[in-house]
Amino acid sequence: MEVKEALISGKTALGIEFGSTRIKAVLIGEDNTLIASGAHDWENQYENHVWTYSLEAIWSGLQDSYQKMAKEVEEKYGVTLTTIGSIGFSAMMHGYLAFDKNDQLLVPFRTWRNTITEEASERLTNEFSYNIPQRWSIAHLYQAILNKEEHVKDVSFFTTLAGYVHWRLTGKKVIGIGDASGMFPIDIKTKQFNQSMIDQFNDLIAPCGYPWKLEEILPEVLVAGEDAGALTEEGAKLLDVSGNLKAGVMICPPEGDAGTGMAATNSVAKRTGNVSAGTSVFAMIVLEKDLKEVHPEIDLVTTPAGDLVGMVHCNNCTSDLNAWVGLFKEFAESFGIEVDMTKLFSVLYNKALEGDPDCGGLLAYNYFSGEHITGFEEGRPLFVRNSTDSFTLANFMRTHLFTSLGALKTGLDILLKEEGVKVDRILGHGGLYKTKGVGQKITAAAINAPVSVMETAGEGGAWGIALLALYRKNKKDGQTLEEYLNDNVFADQTSTTVDPDPKDVDGFEAFMKRYSKCLGIERAAVDCLQ
């Protein structure tokens, strides 16, 4: 009855996130717990050498995920959803959605996945003395300029996927600062796009004679909790095709998936961070100050509140590890043993804790695909050993757990050692942490910092943007996002923490010396195994 009353009175928040393969809608109560959810599977298309999603796919996917969520509300609680307390939209960061003065899309949506902006990325990084990765929106715009693409002169507005959805539903051309930080560099002091770099860009392209200045075609930057508009009559009909949802619902600033991940893991405070480890792996650490040097391995983005974040993203994590576990499953089944995969992972992962600290001299590279951190455009999974190494099951599993974080540690060492970044706590989430304690212990050794895992994982990024929607609606005067999450969301959240073991830390360092020294073996594998 309490949930039913919340649904009727609008004491709820809806978060919708566009992931790379799934659009998820999560409705929560003001106690942050799940009421209902809906999901829509989708896939990007590779058309004319560009990874893209059509506008039709964006809207049909949004509508389908919303309808499934609303249907679950009706089936569970007998309530037709007509109002919601607040809404937030989130999506994959970066990319390029450009529109003309008539709001018409000029070229198909170019997603973050495209690696077609190398020249622009390098030139802008040199121009700004600030790392501009290929997937950033400004790299896409500048590459189009370098390519002398006809559409550029007609650009009136360009934005990200989350910014686009928000604009269509509210009429507001705004963007959350975390998502904005993947479009163009942010000035941490002003919490806006960096004006001096905007001026540099305008000077750089002045000879082209375009009728716009960069600041005129970028969205307005907002921090978490600020007024980002409300659902219009047209927007309500676009979101809820049944026509039941009323206009006027408060909507928070649209955010990127990195920002919602930080919110969902309570990793927005300085000297905290999170590691997401699954098929790929990334780490984000909230910084206390600017970095001293420009590092192509480190992306600089922000929290939804506008604090600077150092991000290391790697393409490979658990795929090779999972393949080896699958091989052991096949071995066991050959003896007629029925295998429980959860137990198999637990046994093999825990076996790794019995291994030598440095893996007994064994070495592996988990490169199913390329890895920019170590300079590989392609990868080959590889296991290597010397005849004198300690070739045991424990060392074998430990090696594959270590190498799943090898490229990540290469990048994190730049932050932690070269730049002297301090980190007090890391929150781990993703498949690597499903076996209790093991992934945490390995990560703590890699980072040399305590690693926590929450007992409840929430609903990921969709839950994170729903929390930001609640913050927009319910925050008290002067209450920061960090304070809101600590006091209203995670105060009673149960988590387990593993501190780094000095022997494991030293062992990981020894393993990484071997890992770095022998990258030539991986290079030979790429060259020879075609």
Side-chain angles (χ1 to χ4, degrees):
M1 290 303 296
E2 288 180 10
V3 173
K4 193 170 182 177
E5 172 58 30
L7 290 165
I8 293 169
S9 61
K11 292 181 178 178
T12 55
L14 174 65
I16 299 182
E17 181 155 280
F18 292 76
S20 57
T21 59
R22 187 169 66 155
I23 302 169
K24 186 162 189 179
V26 167
L27 187 71
I28 64 174
E30 293 195 325
D31 61 353
N32 314 301
T33 59
L34 179 68
I35 293 174
S37 65
H40 173 87
D41 293 333
W42 71 336
E43 287 287 348
N44 53 192
Q45 307 299 316
Y46 191 61
E47 298 176 354
N48 298 317
H49 307 291
V50 171
W51 289 105
T52 187
Y53 299 89
S54 69
L55 296 190
E56 291 77 15
I58 292 169
W59 293 110
S60 63
L62 175 68
Q63 292 159 357
D64 185 45
S65 62
Y66 180 89
Q67 286 299 312
K68 287 175 179 173
M69 178 277 299
K71 183 180 179 183
E72 187 174 307
V73 166
E74 192 146 9
E75 289 175 347
K76 276 188 176 180
Y77 306 102
V79 174
T80 298
L81 205 55
T82 60
T83 188
I84 298 169
S86 54
I87 301 175
F89 298 100
S90 174
M92 303 164 280
M93 291 174 66
H94 319 297
Y96 182 71
L97 279 154
F99 300 87
D100 65 15
K101 63 181 180 182
N102 298 316
D103 298 340
Q104 296 301 303
L105 186 68
L106 288 166
V107 291
F109 173 29
R110 298 172 182 177
T111 76
W112 63 273
R113 190 177 179 184
N114 290 286
T115 53
I116 55 177
T117 63
E118 182 177 8
E119 183 182 3
S121 170
E122 291 179 356
R123 286 202 193 185
L124 290 177
T125 296
N126 291 332
E127 180 73 24
F128 297 153
S129 296
Y130 192 100
N131 185 31
I132 306 294
Q134 285 200 50
R135 59 186 179 275
W136 281 30
S137 306
I138 192 61
H140 281 278
L141 175 63
Y142 189 46
Q143 190 65 54
I145 291 170
L146 294 175
N147 294 345
K148 297 182 169 56
E149 294 186 36
E150 184 66 22
H151 82 272
V152 177
K153 70 180 190 314
D154 298 318
V155 175
S156 176
F157 174 57
F158 79 116
T159 188
T160 64
L161 177 53
Y164 165 65
V165 171
H166 184 97
W167 166 43
R168 286 293 310 276
L169 297 179
T170 66
K172 300 285 188 181
K173 294 179 179 179
V174 301
I175 190 170
I177 193 167
D179 205 13
S181 68
M183 288 192 74
F184 192 86
I186 296 292
D187 184 331
I188 298 302
K189 296 183 180 65
T190 64
K191 310 292 188 193
Q192 297 294 318
F193 289 123
N194 188 301
Q195 188 59 52
S196 65
M197 293 184 190
I198 287 177
D199 293 341
Q200 283 177 271
F201 186 84
N202 286 332
D203 291 342
L204 186 64
I205 66 168
C208 300
Y210 295 122
W212 48 260
K213 299 285 188 185
L214 181 58
E215 61 269 31
E216 297 168 352
I217 63 174
L218 283 165
E220 178 188 353
V221 179
L222 300 175
V223 299
E226 288 192 317
D227 181 5
L231 193 65
T232 62
E233 292 283 354
E234 179 188 1
K237 292 185 178 71
L238 195 52
L239 176 59
D240 180 8
V241 294
S242 71
N244 293 320
L245 185 63
K246 297 175 183 175
V249 178
M250 176 188 298
I251 302 186
C252 72
E255 263 301 346
D257 50 1
T260 59
M262 284 184 269
T265 56
N266 196 24
S267 304
V268 301
K270 291 176 181 176
R271 295 172 67 120
T272 67
N274 72 90
V275 173
S276 175
T279 304
S280 62
V281 61
F282 65 81
M284 310 187 72
I285 297 176
V286 187
L287 307 177
E288 297 177 280
K289 58 185 179 181
D290 289 334
L291 300 182
K292 299 188 287 285
E293 304 287 340
V294 178
H295 304 281
E297 302 89 349
I298 310 296
D299 286 8
L300 291 175
V301 292
T302 78
T303 70
D307 290 314
L308 191 64
V309 174
M311 178 180 183
V312 180
H313 184 278
C314 305
N315 294 333
N316 302 283
C317 186
T318 60
S319 293
D320 195 36
L321 182 58
N322 293 343
W324 281 107
V325 174
L327 189 71
F328 287 116
K329 173 178 181 285
E330 186 180 345
F331 170 78
E333 288 175 341
S334 298
F335 281 87
I337 301 170
E338 189 173 331
V339 178
D340 179 295
M341 289 304 291
T342 300
K343 185 176 181 181
L344 181 60
F345 270 103
S346 179
V347 168
L348 291 174
Y349 273 39
N350 278 284
K351 194 71 180 174
L353 300 184
E354 301 173 16
D356 297 321
D358 71 342
C359 305
L362 307 184
L363 179 62
Y365 295 101
N366 62 334
Y367 294 3
F368 263 53
S369 61
E371 199 59 81
H372 76 283
I373 296 283
T374 50
F376 285 86
E377 294 183 359
E378 294 181 65
R380 302 289 185 271
L382 197 64
F383 173 69
V384 188
R385 68 186 178 99
N386 202 311
S387 60
T388 57
D389 292 336
S390 179
F391 187 37
T392 65
L393 178 59
N395 281 337
F396 181 84
M397 289 307 302
R398 190 176 182 90
T399 297
H400 283 91
L401 281 164
F402 272 28
T403 202
S404 68
L405 300 176
L408 183 77
K409 181 167 172 58
T410 302
L412 282 176
D413 279 353
I414 295 170
L415 281 176
L416 303 178
K417 295 179 180 178
E418 294 182 28
E419 289 284 349
V421 169
K422 304 298 182 186
V423 57
D424 297 328
R425 181 181 67 93
I426 291 288
L427 196 292
H429 54 111
L432 187 67
Y433 305 102
K434 286 184 179 179
T435 297
K436 190 172 183 179
V438 180
Q440 280 176 271
K441 190 172 175 65
I442 300 299
T443 307
I447 302 175
N448 196 17
V451 176
S452 300
V453 172
M454 292 181 185
E455 294 294 330
T456 54
E459 290 290 330
W463 185 62
I465 189 65
L467 295 180
L468 292 175
L470 275 183
Y471 175 63
R472 165 74 187 96
K473 181 172 179 283
N474 296 331
K475 72 182 181 77
K476 300 168 185 172
D477 287 345
Q479 187 180 34
T480 66
L481 178 60
E482 178 186 344
E483 291 168 343
Y484 180 85
L485 292 175
N486 284 333
D487 297 342
N488 297 70
V489 182
F490 295 100
D492 300 319
Q493 183 72 264
T494 304
S495 64
T496 57
T497 301
V498 172
D499 292 319
D501 183 323
K503 289 182 180 178
D504 290 338
V505 173
D506 291 343
F508 214 126
E509 291 295 335
F511 174 83
M512 287 304 298
K513 287 180 182 177
R514 190 159 66 249
Y515 182 98
S516 300
K517 178 183 177 182
C518 297
L519 282 168
I521 302 173
E522 174 68 16
R523 175 59 62 194
V526 171
D527 292 341
C528 297
L529 286 172
Q530 297 298 328

